[in-house]
Amino acid sequence: MSSASSTTGRKMVLSTLLETDHYESIIKELTCTKCKQYMKPPIYLCVDGHSICCKCYEKSYQCHICLKEFALIRPVVLESLANKVLFPCTNGGCPKHATLPVLEKHTPHCQFRIINCFMARVYGNCAWEGRAGEWMDHCFLEHKQKVTELPFITIKDKWDAKRTEPVLNYFLLKCFEKIFNVYQIYDKRGGRMMWTVLVNDEHADKFYFEVDIFLPNLPCKRIVYRRPCKCEKDADFLEHTQNVYIPVENVFSMLDEDESLNFTVRIGEVENLPLLETPTASESLILLNNDEHKED
């Protein structure tokens, strides 16, 4: 039997095992009877043997089932199982089974989790709720002006001085087999405009984005910035100095006759960026604050 056939066979056996009532009973034994969450070590027992997870134990002074005190012993075998068992994802319909550390990373980004349309948080005009994996299809159907399958999007946005929400605009770019989240944020207190791009990729710095602000009838007046994309899991993405920040007075100077800001956001791959050429000796070169070139 070939190695590939053997691997396929093992996967089929494992898949069958995970669906059995026997395996489900093991999962039930490793589920906290109080909060109904999977238990990971440390696990605690009462004197009658009822188990409870660490979080519930820290908030309890007696067993919630028999009302007796907790035991001093730890269920070593139960904790060993909890470290080895493949737990099913709690999002309905998801076929994922994994150890608890892996599952904890998977669940917040699972395509089967139920979410609300993020467009509603920015524009306030969408009541959609559904699986995360179906959200892009919804956006292409209901928010056509905010999404594109091109590596760029061009916007003409009417400036509204009365808007108080920090996120002015939010766009989705589906390209390079990724989903790029584009945010345009107005930091009124700091007196600046900010753009940032997040992508669901651990190696987000493989991609860059450009913000190109222009005046359609005045090609000589233009502002272009290039910055690296950042990972969606980066909780402090707004604090990074690698975002595009532009003073508001510079933005005002780029409003057209309709009081609109015209800009393009482009996505690219860093590996395809041309390197800057090193200047030759014959080209102009000025060295400032260099002691070797000071006259005696």
Side-chain angles (χ1 to χ4, degrees), residues 89-264:
C89 177
T90 54
N91 294 310
C94 180
K96 180 78 172 181
H97 284 71
T99 58
L100 284 178
V102 174
L103 201 61
E104 287 175 350
K105 294 180 179 180
H106 159 80
T107 304
H109 305 280
C110 176
Q111 294 297 294
F112 287 83
R113 73 189 189 280
I114 301 300
I115 63 170
N116 298 110
C117 181
F118 187 77
M119 294 288 181
R121 296 175 60 181
V122 180
Y123 304 108
N125 59 352
C126 184
W128 182 87
E129 181 181 86
R131 289 179 174 176
E134 299 170 351
W135 181 50
M136 279 300 295
D137 292 336
H138 158 75
C139 287
F140 274 104
L141 184 64
E142 301 294 338
H143 306 288
K144 297 178 181 179
Q145 294 182 329
K146 310 296 182 182
V147 295
T148 178
E149 292 188 273
L150 298 172
F152 64 89
I153 188 167
T154 300
I155 306 299
K156 180 180 177 69
D157 187 39
K158 182 77 173 180
W159 177 258
D160 183 1
K162 295 182 180 180
R163 271 193 81 171
T164 58
E165 300 87 351
V167 181
L168 295 182
N169 284 298
Y170 172 70
F171 310 102
L172 292 170
L173 278 68
K174 187 178 181 180
C175 52
F176 303 108
E177 299 182 350
K178 307 287 181 184
I179 302 296
F180 294 85
N181 302 264
V182 180
Y183 295 84
Q184 181 192 4
I185 298 172
Y186 179 31
D187 178 8
K188 192 172 185 179
R189 178 176 298 181
R192 58 187 180 178
M193 191 79 73
M194 187 196 83
W195 282 264
T196 190
V197 175
L198 305 183
V199 57
N200 188 13
D201 193 308
E202 294 286 354
H203 304 286
D205 55 0
K206 295 188 301 182
F207 303 96
Y208 69 90
F209 72 97
E210 286 183 346
V211 177
D212 185 346
I213 306 174
F214 59 92
L215 283 169
N217 298 323
L218 193 60
C220 64
K221 196 170 184 180
R222 184 178 178 188
I223 302 175
V224 181
Y225 283 87
R226 178 185 293 161
R227 293 290 186 270
C229 295
K230 288 176 288 299
C231 180
E232 285 183 354
K233 299 178 182 178
D234 187 352
D236 299 326
F237 70 92
L238 292 179
E239 303 300 324
H240 284 267
T241 57
Q242 294 180 335
N243 296 319
V244 171
Y245 289 102
I246 301 177
V248 172
E249 55 266 26
N250 289 0
V251 175
F252 288 161
S253 70
M254 297 299 291
L255 297 180
D256 62 20
E257 61 275 8
D258 298 324
E259 293 294 304
S260 296
L261 184 66
N262 299 270
F263 64 92
T264 298

